[in-house]
C-alpha cells in the first residue's frame, strides 16, 4: 500500500510540474494565423468533382474561373500554366478545386479504370 501511495505522489508531482511548465505555451496564444479562407485541392476532372461535392456533400458552387498568365506561372512555378478554379461552399467552409488545363504534362486524364 505504501508503494502505491509513493507512486501516486510521484505521478502527481510529475504531472503538475509538466502542466505548470506547459501552461505559458497555452496562455499566450500568439498565433500568426487567425483564419483560413479556403482549402485548395487539385482535381483531374472538374465537372465530375463539382458534381460529387454538390450532389453528395451539399456544397454550392460560388465561382468558376479560368486563370493563366505570368502571375500564375510564378505562383505554381510552371511556365504556360492554365487552370480552371472552382470555389465551392458549405456553410462557412470553402474549398477551391483546381484543374490544370495546360501545359499538357499537368492536364490529367481520367480513364475510369
Amino acid at each position: 500500500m505504501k508503494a502505491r501511495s509513493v507512486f501516486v505522489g510521484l505521478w502527481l508531482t510529475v504531472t503538475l510540474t509538466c502542466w505548470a511548465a506547459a501552461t505559458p505555451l497555452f496562455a499566450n496564444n500568439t498565433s500568426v494565423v487567425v483564419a483560413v479562407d479556403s482549402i485548395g485541392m487539385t482535381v483531374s476532372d472538374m465537372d465530375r468533382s463539382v458534381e460529387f461535392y454538390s450532389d453528395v456533400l451539399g456544397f454550392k458552387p460560388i465561382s468558376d474561373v479560368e486563370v493563366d498568365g505570368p502571375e500564375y506561372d510564378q505562383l505554381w512555378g510552371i511556365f504556360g500554366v492554365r487552370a480552371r478554379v472552382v470555389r465551392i461552399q458549405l456553410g462557412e467552409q470553402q474549398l477551391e478545386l483546381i484543374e490544370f488545363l495546360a501545359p499538357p504534362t499537368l492536364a490529367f486524364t481520367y480513364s475510369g479504370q
Side-chain angles (χ1 to χ4, degrees), residues 7-94:
F7 173 76
V8 170
L10 181 61
W11 176 82
L12 188 58
T13 303
V14 170
T15 302
L16 290 175
T17 303
C18 291
W19 177 78
T23 300
L25 297 175
F26 300 110
N28 297 329
N29 188 2
T30 57
S31 176
V32 176
V33 177
V34 294
V36 174
D37 180 56
S38 65
I39 302 293
M41 293 186 291
T42 304
V43 299
S44 60
D45 185 331
M46 184 63 76
D47 294 327
R48 203 177 84 171
S49 296
V50 169
E51 182 180 341
F52 170 77
Y53 280 99
S54 299
D55 295 348
V56 177
L57 300 177
F59 279 80
K60 304 288 182 220
I62 56 175
S63 70
D64 186 343
V65 297
E66 202 168 294
V67 297
D68 63 0
E71 62 275 6
Y72 293 101
D73 292 351
Q74 185 175 8
L75 175 67
W76 284 310
I78 305 163
F79 177 74
V81 72
R82 187 169 54 91
R84 179 178 173 196
V85 180
V86 175
R87 192 173 275 238
I88 56 177
Q89 183 171 349
L90 179 65
E92 296 295 316
Q93 311 310 311
Q94 293 187 6

